[in-house]
Amino acid sequence: MIKTLAGVKVVDQGTFITGPAAGMLLADLGADVVKVEQPKTGDPFRAFKGGLYSPHYQACNRNKRSIELDTKDPADREVFDALIEDADVYIQNFRPGVADKLGAGEKRLRALNPRLVYCSISGFGPTGPSANRPAYDTVAQAAGGFLKLLVNPENPRVVGPAIADSLTGFYAAYGVMGALIERGRTGVGRTVEVSMLEAMTHFNIDAFTHFYQEGEVMGPYSRPRVSQSYVLECGDGKWIALHMSSPDKFWQGLAAVIERPELFDDLRFATREARIVNQEALIALLGERFRRRDRAEWCDLLLAKDVPHAPVYDSSEALEDPQALHMQLTASAVHPVMGLFRTVRSPVSFDGERALDVRPPPTLGEHNQEIRAEVAQQRRRPAP
């Protein structure tokens, strides 16, 4: 892959998801990301069935190098400081105040390297009444007004992946790259701050805009009802998704596929507005029809009529779809100790070149000697 961030050096002291996700996004674009971890235990997300290479850890730590450093230890602090002096970016996602206790506070690192882009990720922000509260994915989703849009009121429970964690990592990387571009003009680094609360409220901007402009508080069915989105079970027990949107041609095609050309003679379904109001009745009608055939047959019929649809895949199916295979969405490499590593490649291509080369996530301290040797060589370089 074209390494657009080649030459950018990142010290990633993040744990769990938000910090590591930000570091991985930069690494995917070619940055040299050194993951600084606590000796013996490392990133808490490593722990898995007695080992230190969990799937959770692997998901956000490819394309990095790992070094074990206890920044409270004077000797390790020297190595850490040398890494900072030569770095472009530093990333942490500790609770407010913890970085200072570890010798990694913004003021201290800025004194070592005025060009440093210092990225601080928190749950609720650096100050304020909630600043020191523990924040995890579900907490941030709820505080940002997003979880209410996901929970089925008839069966309330948390569902889905760690959206808040991952999105906060994206926003952090976005901020870092903006600061790097500015530093190219000014020569001075910035402190980039992002909280999970800020990330989730921004991601949830559509719901807030509806409230501010129309006084409407959106619920879990608000957007799907207006966008005319459906999930239907097929005859073989598999599921299919439809997103009918506004164009009449999609509905005409669907009516033909389900062999109900007279559908629009029913006033409940004659117009878009009527279908929105009578969504439950329409779901019942479509549900009965779709249970008559298997999913693959429905996909063929819908494709022939250009109806927007997709199979509702699980993780064992999605990347085996012919289009996913054509797009080369997976990448793999072999770790000398841990064996085959498979992952989803970066979604960004440059000049048509896809990110098919990947470095497996490092084992704890895998690059201890390599990075320490680089630090020693750096110290021997004459001062500019």
Side-chain angles (χ1 to χ4, degrees):
M1 179 182 177
I2 297 172
K3 298 184 183 298
T4 55
L5 291 183
V8 173
K9 296 182 179 181
V10 179
V11 176
D12 173 4
Q13 207 172 6
T15 58
F16 294 106
I17 298 178
T18 56
M24 184 185 71
L25 290 169
L26 301 175
D28 283 352
L29 296 180
D32 177 14
V33 178
V34 173
K35 184 175 179 69
V36 174
E37 304 189 68
Q38 192 68 19
K40 297 183 180 180
T41 56
D43 185 334
F45 240 28
R46 282 183 174 275
F48 181 69
K49 295 182 178 179
L52 294 174
Y53 206 68
S54 75
H56 296 299
Y57 159 77
Q58 292 180 51
C60 293
N61 287 285
R62 66 188 181 208
N63 293 328
K64 300 180 185 180
R65 299 189 291 164
S66 169
I67 183 172
E68 295 170 281
L69 293 175
D70 179 359
T71 54
K72 294 181 180 180
D73 176 80
D76 280 1
R77 175 78 67 87
E78 286 188 22
V79 176
F80 177 76
D81 287 356
L83 289 173
I84 293 298
E85 289 169 357
D86 198 43
D88 298 288
V89 179
Y90 169 77
I91 299 171
Q92 57 93 344
N93 61 311
F94 305 124
R95 283 205 215 184
V98 172
D100 289 307
K101 295 178 182 178
L102 296 175
E106 186 270 337
K107 289 183 179 179
R108 182 176 181 276
L109 300 196
R110 178 81 58 220
L112 293 171
N113 181 356
R115 288 175 51 83
L116 184 70
V117 172
Y118 186 103
C119 179
S120 174
I121 303 170
S122 62
F124 290 97
T127 60
S130 296
N132 290 308
R133 286 173 52 192
Y136 288 92
D137 180 82
T138 304
V139 173
Q141 286 193 42
F146 188 74
L147 189 62
K148 191 69 181 290
L149 301 178
L150 296 184
V151 173
N152 181 342
E154 297 171 5
N155 184 22
R157 62 187 61 203
V158 176
V159 298
I163 298 173
D165 282 330
S166 298
L167 283 171
T168 303
F170 271 93
Y171 281 114
Y174 161 79
V176 164
M177 287 190 284
L180 285 173
I181 291 173
E182 184 196 46
R183 194 193 66 176
R185 298 192 303 268
T186 66
V188 179
R190 287 274 191 186
T191 297
V192 177
E193 293 178 314
V194 60
S195 68
M196 297 173 73
L197 175 62
E198 290 167 302
M200 286 314 298
T201 53
H202 186 271
F203 185 71
N204 198 24
I205 195 169
D206 182 63
F208 291 116
T209 303
H210 274 79
F211 174 69
Y212 288 136
Q213 303 304 322
E214 299 294 333
E216 175 189 0
V217 175
M218 298 181 73
Y221 303 136
S222 298
R223 189 203 61 83
R225 181 179 292 113
V226 173
S227 66
Q228 300 177 94
S229 302
Y230 307 92
V231 179
L232 303 163
E233 186 178 11
C234 302
D236 53 2
K238 297 180 180 180
W239 293 76
I240 196 167
L242 306 177
H243 190 118
M244 301 305 295
S245 193
S246 301
D248 286 340
K249 69 172 185 176
F250 295 153
W251 281 101
Q252 295 293 339
L254 179 61
V257 165
I258 65 173
E259 299 176 343
R260 286 291 301 269
E262 78 288 355
L263 179 68
F264 308 109
D265 295 338
D266 188 328
L267 294 180
R268 296 175 301 167
F269 312 133
T271 65
R272 178 176 183 269
E273 291 73 17
R275 291 190 291 270
I276 291 172
V277 171
N278 296 285
Q279 187 191 46
E280 294 302 320
L282 187 51
I283 288 175
L285 184 153
L286 293 174
E288 186 278 327
R289 287 282 163 163
F290 271 79
R291 283 190 289 271
R292 297 183 181 186
R293 301 178 189 268
D294 290 350
R295 185 174 71 181
E297 187 175 358
W298 281 120
C299 287
D300 289 341
L301 293 169
L302 293 165
L303 181 64
K305 291 295 185 179
D306 197 34
V307 178
H309 74 283
V312 179
Y313 286 140
D314 63 27
S315 55
S316 72
E317 301 172 299
L319 298 178
E320 298 303 317
D321 181 273
Q323 184 62 26
L325 293 172
H326 172 77
M327 295 296 290
Q328 299 173 288
L329 293 183
T330 61
S332 63
V334 177
H335 189 280
V337 175
M338 306 308 295
L340 178 65
F341 169 68
R342 296 185 66 191
T343 188
V344 179
R345 68 166 174 83
S346 169
V348 181
S349 300
F350 295 101
D351 297 330
E353 188 174 342
R354 296 167 179 159
L356 301 180
D357 293 330
V358 64
R359 170 184 280 179
T363 53
L364 179 60
E366 179 177 340
H367 303 94
N368 281 344
Q369 294 182 352
E370 176 182 306
I371 296 170
R372 286 178 180 273
E374 292 173 1
V375 167
Q377 184 178 13
Q378 171 192 330
R379 287 172 173 168
R380 289 194 294 267
R381 290 199 302 258

